[in-house]
Amino acid sequence: MKFELKGAVNYLPAITYGKMKNSYAEVDFSYEVNIKNDIDIKLTDGVEFLTAGELYDEIVAKASFVKTGMEALNLDSKAGGDSLEDENRRSREVKDAPSTDIVRNAFKAAGIPVKVIATKKGVKTEKPVKITYRAGEENSLNNHIIYVSEGSELTVIELFESENKESLVGLQTRVYVGENAKVKLVRVNLLSENTDHFDDLGFHLENDAKAELVQLELGGKRSYVGVRCELVGRKSEYNSATGYLCKGESLLDMNYMTNEWGRKASCNMDASGVLLDKATKVYRGTIDFKEGAKGARGFEKEDTLHFSPNIINKSVPLILCHEEDVEGDHGATIGRIDEKLMFYIKSRGIDENAAKELMTEAYINAVTEKIGDDETEERVIKYVSEVFKNEQ
């Protein structure tokens, strides 16, 4: 079966950077895929993996409306909508708006089935669910719903791996977090330099729900990452930490968007990374305070370190606001290694490549330490070390 993903993705919610051509990304993937597409998944007590049945149908129907970061427009140019459904309706009615379901439609056309990971009500899992997506003889494509029931707690750790040949690893996930529930999602990209990659993610949080995202984008040839979080519930909370390492002639295009609807909702989005060689990176980070989100708070920042004059870096921090009683802040820092500092390091017997590795580890480890799983953390440390061995 052929999987084709072509068109515009990772839209900014407001076309404020149009002249810089940063408002969206163009993607063009065409690969043969196996719709059965087995994955390596290790469940834990209190968690079910569903592919059919009454409960499966119920969850799919309930979570199918969740929008994801790669495919969703957020065309709310007017002050405040009455509800999330109103915003989605307005998006559909915008004249000449590009398709907002490009990824979902590509999965349907290729016949990739939806699979469900669900917790039982009130269950607080002691161990994480672990999933590995691997491209070897077959390309890897998956379409998931993670359903965290009311009052339950779940951690999911996901690894992306591939052999050193042309391949595709793609994933679309909708995460529904019920009232007073918690979810921690860890995603680690350890792909080879010949692998195309996309990771399309959406969160929906009810009252007093909490979500944490820990994401490391370290490999791949062309990588597109989109994350959209809807803080619908009162006192809902979302925190994300992203680390990235771009090398060679790779492309990493990211779009992180949080819509705060609920009273006293809060979010914090941090990103940090390193660019080497002739790599290209685009980071779009948006917090949108909707009318009615009184007492809401939102903060975002990105730190980028350059090790080459040949890289291309684009950082687009954005805050939109339709409510007076909110607190928000955003910013980005971009810098190169200080020549005096490099001279000092060399004078202590550390060569330039080792110095770059030490500084990269400092950036990446700040996110790696949030994983909370020794085995996965060791995999990340080893991967980064191998990158600099190959640089020598």
Side-chain angles (χ1 to χ4, degrees):
M1 182 70 70
K2 179 78 74 173
F3 175 83
E4 295 185 328
L5 180 60
K6 298 182 180 182
V9 296
N10 280 355
Y11 300 99
L12 271 179
I15 313 302
T16 57
Y17 289 77
K19 291 183 179 180
M20 297 174 63
K21 298 183 179 180
N22 291 337
S23 296
Y24 59 88
E26 290 283 350
V27 64
D28 186 354
F29 290 156
S30 181
Y31 284 90
E32 291 291 334
V33 297
N34 180 353
I35 64 172
K36 293 183 179 180
N37 197 33
D38 293 333
I39 60 174
D40 180 4
I41 181 169
K42 297 178 181 178
L43 298 175
T44 188
D45 292 341
V47 179
E48 297 179 281
F49 185 62
L50 308 171
T51 57
E54 185 176 343
L55 179 58
Y56 169 88
D57 293 338
E58 179 183 332
I59 290 175
V60 170
K62 191 171 184 179
S64 62
F65 73 93
V66 178
K67 288 292 185 181
T68 54
M70 279 182 64
E71 66 178 6
L73 287 172
N74 192 28
L75 297 176
D76 183 23
S77 59
K78 295 183 289 187
D82 295 327
S83 67
L84 181 59
E85 288 73 21
D86 284 344
E87 188 208 32
N88 291 334
R89 173 179 55 78
R90 282 196 301 276
S91 294
R92 290 194 298 269
E93 292 174 351
V94 174
K95 185 178 180 180
D96 297 328
S99 171
T100 61
D101 294 324
I102 177 175
V103 184
R104 191 185 305 214
N105 290 340
F107 272 103
K108 287 182 178 179
I112 306 298
V114 177
K115 301 172 184 177
V116 172
I117 298 166
T119 66
K120 297 178 181 178
K121 185 176 180 180
V123 169
K124 298 181 180 180
T125 59
E126 296 182 1
K127 296 181 179 180
V129 172
K130 290 189 174 184
I131 307 174
T132 300
Y133 308 96
R134 185 178 294 107
E137 295 300 320
E138 303 279 357
N139 295 302
S140 175
L141 279 171
N142 285 275
N143 188 359
H144 288 169
I145 290 174
I146 297 176
Y147 188 83
V148 190
S149 301
E150 179 181 345
S152 62
E153 296 182 10
L154 174 67
T155 297
V156 180
I157 298 176
E158 298 171 289
L159 294 180
F160 301 96
E161 299 178 341
S162 63
E163 297 178 1
N164 191 23
K165 64 178 184 177
E166 290 188 6
S167 58
L168 173 67
V169 176
L171 176 64
Q172 184 174 65
T173 309
R174 291 172 170 80
V175 184
Y176 185 97
V177 190
E179 187 168 338
N180 199 35
K182 297 180 182 179
V183 66
K184 179 178 180 179
L185 192 58
V186 177
R187 290 190 157 169
V188 180
N189 167 355
L190 302 177
L191 298 169
S192 79
E193 61 184 10
N194 293 314
T195 302
D196 285 330
H197 171 56
F198 70 88
D199 186 357
D200 189 24
L201 175 62
F203 289 94
H204 173 96
L205 276 66
E206 294 288 349
N207 291 337
D208 297 299
K210 295 182 179 181
E212 179 183 1
L213 174 65
V214 179
Q215 195 160 24
L216 285 154
E217 294 294 330
L218 307 177
K221 179 173 63 176
R222 294 180 295 171
S223 296
Y224 297 86
V225 177
V227 181
R228 176 165 174 166
C229 182
E230 302 288 351
L231 295 174
V232 176
R234 174 183 50 82
K235 293 186 178 181
S236 52
E237 180 182 328
Y238 170 64
N239 294 287
S240 71
T242 302
Y244 54 84
L245 173 59
C246 304
K247 55 192 181 298
E249 297 183 4
S250 65
L251 164 68
L252 174 60
D253 191 285
M254 298 176 283
N255 185 38
Y256 290 80
M257 180 167 54
T258 300
N259 291 324
E260 302 204 27
W261 301 85
R263 286 175 174 265
K264 296 186 178 181
S266 66
C267 80
N268 190 81
M269 302 191 302
D270 287 340
S272 60
V274 174
L275 306 183
L276 302 167
D277 308 318
K278 297 180 180 180
T280 299
K281 184 230 76 184
V282 182
Y283 175 85
R284 304 174 189 85
T286 303
I287 298 173
D288 192 347
F289 294 102
K290 303 296 187 180
E291 185 176 6
K294 295 185 180 297
R297 303 169 70 247
F299 306 95
E300 62 166 318
K301 67 182 181 69
E302 187 205 9
D303 297 318
T304 306
L305 183 60
H306 298 178
F307 281 137
S308 169
N310 301 314
I311 61 93
I312 296 175
N313 177 70
K314 299 179 182 180
S315 297
V316 189
L318 181 64
I319 284 187
L320 304 175
C321 188
H322 309 302
E323 176 59 59
E324 294 182 358
D325 184 18
V326 297
E327 180 183 359
D329 193 14
H330 70 300
T333 60
I334 303 168
R336 296 179 180 177
I337 185 169
D338 185 80
E339 292 183 5
K340 292 182 179 179
L341 176 59
M342 181 60 76
F343 177 80
Y344 175 81
I345 293 173
K346 287 182 177 180
S347 71
R348 293 298 182 271
I350 301 175
D351 64 35
E352 184 171 339
N353 194 68
K356 289 181 179 180
E357 182 177 356
L358 287 172
M359 293 182 183
T360 299
E361 289 175 348
Y363 270 71
I364 300 300
N365 287 351
V367 179
T368 304
E369 292 171 354
K370 297 179 182 292
I371 291 175
D373 178 75
D374 291 343
E375 180 183 6
T376 306
E377 291 177 10
E378 289 174 4
R379 292 286 304 277
V380 171
I381 293 170
K382 181 180 179 181
Y383 185 95
V384 173
S385 178
E386 289 294 327
V387 167
F388 285 93
K389 285 182 181 178
N390 295 332
E391 287 282 313
Q392 293 178 349

